Amino acid sequence: MKVLLVGGGGREHALGWKIAQSPQLSKLYLAPGSAGLNHLGEKLSFGDGDIRAIADFAAENAVDLVVVGPEAPLAAGLGDLLAAKGVPCFGPSKQAAQLESSKSFMKEVSSAAGAPTAAYGRFTEIEPAKAFLRDQTAPYVIKADGLAAGKGVVIAETLKDADAAVEDMLGGRFGDASAAIVIEEFMRGEEASFFAITDGENILPLIDAQDHKRAYDGDEGPNTGGMGAYSPAPIFTDKVRERTMKEIVEPVVAEMKNRGTPYVGVLYAGLMIEDEKPRLVEFNARFGDPECQILMRRLKSDLLPVLLKAATSKLKNVTLDWSEDAAALVVMAADGYPGAYKKGSEIKGVDAANALPGVVVFHAGTKEENGKLVANGGRVLNVTAMGKDIREAVTRAYAGVAAIDWPGGFYRKDIGWRALEREK
């Protein structure tokens, strides 16, 4: 099979790493690739934002499958362009991708499907939004309706801060992404992420993970795209898994099919769990980042044929084999992230980290410059490790971090703390 992988972050490095292991792969094209990915395939001259070039190349070069990593090309309609050219795409259409690209669309579909989620209101003007806030209780959850790279959510402890967040977002903070906002009821509990692959009708449940959104230890600081993750998540019991499938994933996939916009690809359900009752926080229309990286570490089966079957409506009776071992990931980010950060600082020791037991380092934001590896993003390296349990996986991941020489970065030192606290 000839495969075109769209994207160049840590998630895509992990997908490319896994796809490259498939005996069914004959050629891997990368748009745009990365310093970590480029040795696995052929780097193309265009990036993940040039969706017309991607579709044209795929059709002209008889690509058998396009695998889309990031959300932006899906929201822009890459899946539709590929469908028009008869190229199978692992990823939803533009309409179906609204489960991620529009918070209010996600809420509307979830409500129609009967999926448990927070009460909400949608607003495009400041004064009605502020009036709605006054009928709510703290803390207040304010979200940009559109895509804001994981940064469009504010949890405000006071009405003053909530008002400021409303003014900030509707005042143009995230451009078109915050032309509308959603204000939600605050949900209490513990977060987890669950993933399922679907061809629009058949659903293949994957496994769970838990990530760490806040920038600093102790879950302090601003929200990020994710500073670390681990799997399995102890909060995600068999009972929670069953309820998540029956109450959230299955009804939503059915609702999307009934609307004439079947959802094809991976559906990521962000959950809040309390007393073994899952409630839906959000959907993502792609693998999570950094959760994808640890899912790929735990997956024992060949991923490639499963992606093709999902993209071609042949997912029925497909199963996957997962490692019983745990996986953990520590993100090494550039100083200043998720705010302003500098690019270009040199990174050493990645090969030494990769040589350690159980460790694989995925590149999230790097590039090669004059024969050196340098930082080229906010989240720069994903240090993953496998172990017999969460404790061993975390210990090995931090050994990998210690082997890397990068003074320009920082990382959280408490990844996996919830799982480790439960062990005590």
Side-chain angles (χ1 to χ4, degrees), residues 23-254:
Q24 295 191 19
L25 181 73
S26 60
K27 180 77 176 181
L28 181 62
Y29 297 107
L30 307 166
S34 70
L37 267 171
N38 292 346
H39 72 283
L40 296 174
E42 180 182 332
K43 179 178 172 63
L44 302 178
S45 60
F46 41 84
D48 54 23
D50 197 342
I51 60 173
R52 292 198 177 278
I54 292 168
D56 288 344
F57 179 91
E60 290 164 8
N61 291 272
V63 167
D64 297 293
L65 178 67
V66 175
V67 178
V68 187
E71 63 275 20
L74 295 168
L78 176 55
D80 306 80
L81 291 177
L82 290 164
K85 291 178 180 291
V87 179
C89 174
F90 182 78
S93 66
K94 182 175 182 176
Q95 274 194 297
Q98 288 182 101
L99 282 179
E100 177 171 8
S101 66
S102 170
K103 301 288 191 303
S104 53
F105 178 83
M106 181 277 286
K107 285 290 193 181
E108 177 198 328
V109 170
S110 300
S111 297
T117 186
Y120 75 103
R122 178 185 184 274
F123 303 93
T124 57
E125 296 179 4
I126 291 173
E127 292 312 316
K130 285 184 174 180
F132 183 81
L133 282 171
R134 275 138 187 85
D135 291 330
Q136 310 304 308
T137 55
Y140 308 93
V141 181
I142 302 99
K143 298 181 176 181
D145 188 73
L147 297 176
K151 302 178 183 70
V153 179
V154 171
I155 300 173
E157 298 293 339
T158 67
L159 199 53
K160 180 181 177 183
D161 288 346
D163 283 346
V166 166
E167 291 171 4
D168 186 38
M169 288 195 196
L170 288 177
R173 171 73 187 279
F174 299 108
D176 289 345
S178 59
I181 63 169
V182 168
I183 299 175
E184 288 187 351
E185 159 204 6
F186 180 81
M187 293 190 287
R188 301 189 183 277
E190 188 173 327
E191 285 190 79
S193 308
F194 180 68
F195 302 84
I197 288 175
T198 174
D199 60 9
E201 181 172 4
N202 302 292
I203 303 170
L204 173 62
L206 305 185
I207 56 173
D208 56 280
Q210 189 170 74
D211 78 340
H212 300 259
K213 288 291 186 197
R214 300 279 188 164
Y216 311 127
D217 288 6
D219 288 332
E220 298 289 333
N223 267 328
T224 71
M227 292 298 294
Y230 60 92
S231 175
I235 190 75
F236 201 84
T237 62
D238 288 343
K239 183 177 180 182
V240 172
R241 176 186 301 273
E242 183 180 345
R243 292 190 66 161
T244 300
M245 285 296 293
K246 295 292 183 190
E247 298 173 15
I248 297 173
V249 176
E250 290 174 5
V252 166
V253 169

Side-chain angles (χ1 to χ4, degrees), residues 14 29 76 90 152 179 284 384 415:
Y29 297 107
F90 182 78
N284 287 338
T384 72
I415 299 304

